[in-house]
Amino acid sequence: MEKPEPLWLAIHDTLRDEIARGQWRAGSRLPTEADLAQRFGVNRHTVRRALAALAEAGLVQARRGAGVFVRAAERLPYRIGPRTRFHQNLLDTGRAPSRRILHTALARATEVEADALSLRPDAPLHVVEGISLADDQPVSLFRSAFCATRFPELGRHLASGDSITRALRALGVPDYTRKSTRISGYAADVLQARHLEIAPGDMLLLSEAINIDPDGRPLEYGRTFFVAARVDLVLDGPETGAIVA
Amino acid sequence: MEKPEPLWLAIHDTLRDEIARGQWRAGSRLPTEADLAQRFGVNRHTVRRALAALAEAGLVQARRGAGVFVRAAERLPYRIGPRTRFHQNLLDTGRAPSRRILHTALARATEVEADALSLRPDAPLHVVEGISLADDQPVSLFRSAFCATRFPELGRHLASGDSITRALRALGVPDYTRKSTRISGYAADVLQARHLEIAPGDMLLLSEAINIDPDGRPLEYGRTFFVAARVDLVLDGPETGAIVA
DNA sequence: GTAGATTTGTCCGTATGTATA
DNA sequence: ATATACATACGGACAAATCTA
């Protein structure tokens, strides 16, 4: 026999999904506990148990006498620092990370890419584009470029969907660190919107990053478009701090 | 007598502001020279003089037979690091920094503020709100909160429009550093839009920062809304690096 | 400004099924 | 097998905060 899901948990999940889907807008009032109890056909206390869990997670906030209000959907804190790693980053916040590779190619460096990687324009690059997901929800579109002269074999690793960290390790780069990051805001175009399951014009945070190897040589130039409604970029103390004892 | 502003310069400034305000989107075509000439009630050559200046500054690009196109407006690179200082930041990029204080008050800490500053909720705070400008163009709305118990005299300094760095120095805090930063994207509401001279719904980058004194005690909790179309946030190598020799 | 209705917060109690000692 | 503890679910009553007419 299966273990039956508690009633209050089912109600909690239903409300959580409805909030995530935007059925209850941020700041708006949920139906009263009595109404919800009637809707789900349960006692008011059972609804209260579900609401308490939502409040615990920060999704709603109750005000006595006024009602239960939807708080701004919680955003995934995405930590940016010298050692920004997608997988570890999401595991740290209790999400299930995954990647979907859209495209790999051998391309020639644009002016911007060549500049970022200290290469001459038109130098050959391995380029990989894809979608990053947290709990199966798209959070970002990324495009990474690597010097193809230095890593002739990288193409195969990238296409296989392997972790970039692991692919580089296999090619003799034990570690890499973030040299610089530039963050800017843009509106999503139609294609980006489709991939990220948002509406065209929705807000994106673009993070342009240059990663270097331990010798300080530019290794990767990456552009990542984060869905602003789903992600906060966090620059934390020791990670960005000036002094490490 | 005042020196009269040349006609072409007035037109140049008008168009520049309209581009900055997003009235003409990046990549879009401006009205034809003839149309602009009619709009401003001047000869086509006067418009051409204004457009030439804009092209010189890199804001537009003319293509013979096609039209004049808006190039992506250059964004101000705003450096974020352990020692983020507004004035120095802008001077470094050759802009003229200025501040406009909107409001100073003695308020009670909200839950978020109390948490950020390691105070109890409802603790008294000095709060200052204002607009930061670069070359007289608004780039951000800021709100800073300081513990009023620790700095009883800070209110006067803030209201006077003095630099925050200087005010703190006068009160015995020789230096402060950035402990953490969180960056997120939001749409401007009506009030923000009016202050920043943009349209409601335009994109803002919110930077939430906690600054600490040399002893590691939280000093300031600041929220700054940057106009995304005018600013990039830059996290640079040595500034965000883990190790400082 | 006030009174009354609405809505959440907290307490009481009862009953049932499940895991544990 | 029995007893105990715990989580779930229901029902009711009242207090406290809030909203509205």
Side-chain angles (χ1 to χ4, degrees):
Chain A
M1 286 296 282
E2 259 193 64
K3 184 163 58 178
E5 188 183 30
L7 259 179
W8 68 265
L9 228 187
I11 294 170
H12 165 272
D13 290 348
T14 301
L15 291 174
R16 176 172 52 81
D17 291 348
E18 289 181 356
I19 291 170
R21 210 171 298 133
Q23 187 161 337
W24 312 105
R25 271 182 300 181
S28 70
R29 214 197 68 179
L30 286 184
T32 65
E33 293 175 353
D35 287 346
L36 288 173
Q38 185 170 30
R39 171 184 161 192
F40 291 111
V42 299
N43 189 273
R44 180 177 155 232
H45 294 294
T46 308
V47 169
R48 281 183 62 75
R49 180 72 184 82
L51 290 175
L54 289 173
E56 183 72 23
L59 269 86
V60 302
Q61 192 171 20
R63 278 171 50 214
R64 164 155 32 169
V68 179
F69 295 82
V70 179
R71 294 181 25 141
E74 201 188 338
R75 300 177 177 202
L76 170 69
Y78 190 89
R79 172 179 268 212
I80 288 191
R83 281 198 175 60
T84 300
R85 305 283 188 272
F86 173 74
H87 263 79
Q88 195 53 51
N89 231 335
L90 263 68
L91 291 175
D92 288 347
T93 61
R95 322 273 172 140
S98 59
R99 285 210 139 123
R100 202 178 294 155
I101 302 298
L102 292 175
H103 185 66
T104 63
L106 195 61
R108 305 219 156 258
T110 65
E111 209 169 307
V112 177
E113 290 169 333
D115 192 50
L117 290 171
S118 300
L119 301 172
R120 67 184 186 290
D122 295 326
L125 295 179
H126 286 300
V127 172
V128 54
E129 292 179 14
I131 305 172
S132 300
L133 307 97
D135 295 336
D136 294 321
Q137 186 184 48
V139 294
S140 69
L141 260 175
F142 64 88
R143 180 180 198 280
S144 275
F146 302 85
C147 174
T149 313
R150 181 162 172 206
F151 303 108
E153 296 301 311
L154 187 58
R156 285 186 302 108
H157 292 82
L158 293 179
S160 75
D162 200 9
S163 139
I164 289 178
T165 305
R166 218 148 9 152
L168 287 174
R169 197 145 41 199
L171 295 172
V173 179
D175 190 24
Y176 59 92
T177 55
R178 183 72 64 106
K179 182 190 162 207
S180 68
T181 308
R182 177 181 279 245
I183 294 167
S184 45
Y186 290 97
D189 63 33
V190 178
L191 201 63
Q192 293 170 323
R194 186 157 50 219
H195 281 134
L196 294 170
E197 296 176 18
I198 55 177
D202 278 4
M203 233 185 261
L204 300 177
L205 296 175
L206 168 60
S207 153
E208 294 175 90
I210 299 173
N211 279 310
I212 56 176
D213 65 17
D215 301 332
R217 275 187 303 178
L219 201 67
E220 175 199 14
Y221 172 62
R223 291 164 57 92
T224 306
F225 288 93
F226 292 91
V227 178
R230 297 179 189 150
V231 184
D232 282 354
L233 303 179
V234 177
L235 326 165
D236 243 357
E239 291 284 331
T240 59
I243 292 142
V244 172
Chain B
M1 288 290 285
E2 260 192 64
K3 183 162 60 176
E5 189 182 33
L7 257 184
W8 69 264
L9 189 55
I11 294 171
H12 164 272
D13 290 348
T14 301
L15 291 174
R16 174 173 54 84
D17 291 348
E18 288 181 356
I19 291 171
R21 209 169 297 138
Q23 188 161 338
W24 313 105
R25 272 183 299 183
S28 69
R29 212 197 69 180
L30 285 185
T32 64
E33 291 176 354
D35 286 347
L36 288 172
Q38 185 171 31
R39 170 183 161 192
F40 291 109
V42 300
N43 189 275
R44 175 174 160 243
H45 295 293
T46 309
V47 170
R48 282 184 61 75
R49 181 71 186 85
L51 290 175
L54 289 173
E56 184 70 24
L59 272 96
V60 302
Q61 190 170 23
R63 280 167 47 208
R64 189 188 320 200
V68 179
F69 294 82
V70 178
R71 294 179 30 133
E74 198 186 339
R75 298 178 177 202
L76 169 70
Y78 190 89
R79 172 179 268 212
I80 288 192
R83 281 197 175 60
T84 300
R85 303 284 189 271
F86 173 75
H87 265 79
Q88 195 52 51
N89 231 336
L90 263 68
L91 292 174
D92 289 346
T93 60
R95 322 271 172 142
S98 58
R99 285 209 139 126
R100 202 178 296 153
I101 302 297
L102 293 175
H103 186 66
T104 63
L106 194 61
R108 305 221 155 258
T110 65
E111 210 168 306
V112 177
E113 291 169 334
D115 193 51
L117 290 172
S118 301
L119 300 172
R120 67 186 185 288
D122 296 326
L125 295 179
H126 285 301
V127 171
V128 54
E129 293 178 14
I131 305 172
S132 299
L133 307 98
D135 296 336
D136 293 323
Q137 186 184 48
V139 293
S140 68
L141 260 176
F142 63 88
R143 180 179 200 280
S144 277
F146 303 84
C147 175
T149 313
R150 182 164 171 206
F151 303 109
E153 296 302 311
L154 187 59
R156 286 185 302 108
H157 292 84
L158 294 178
S160 74
D162 201 8
S163 140
I164 289 177
T165 304
R166 217 148 9 152
L168 286 173
R169 196 145 41 201
L171 295 173
V173 180
D175 191 24
Y176 60 92
T177 56
R178 182 74 62 108
K179 181 190 165 207
S180 68
T181 308
R182 176 182 280 244
I183 296 168
S184 45
Y186 290 96
D189 64 32
V190 178
L191 202 62
Q192 293 171 324
R194 185 158 51 218
H195 281 134
L196 293 169
E197 297 176 19
I198 56 177
D202 279 4
M203 227 185 269
L204 300 177
L205 295 175
L206 167 60
S207 153
E208 296 177 80
I210 300 174
N211 280 310
I212 56 176
D213 65 17
D215 299 333
R217 275 186 304 178
L219 202 68
E220 176 200 14
Y221 172 62
R223 293 164 56 92
T224 307
F225 288 92
F226 292 93
V227 178
R230 296 177 190 152
V231 183
D232 284 353
L233 303 179
V234 178
L235 326 166
D236 245 356
E239 291 285 330
T240 59
I243 293 142
V244 172

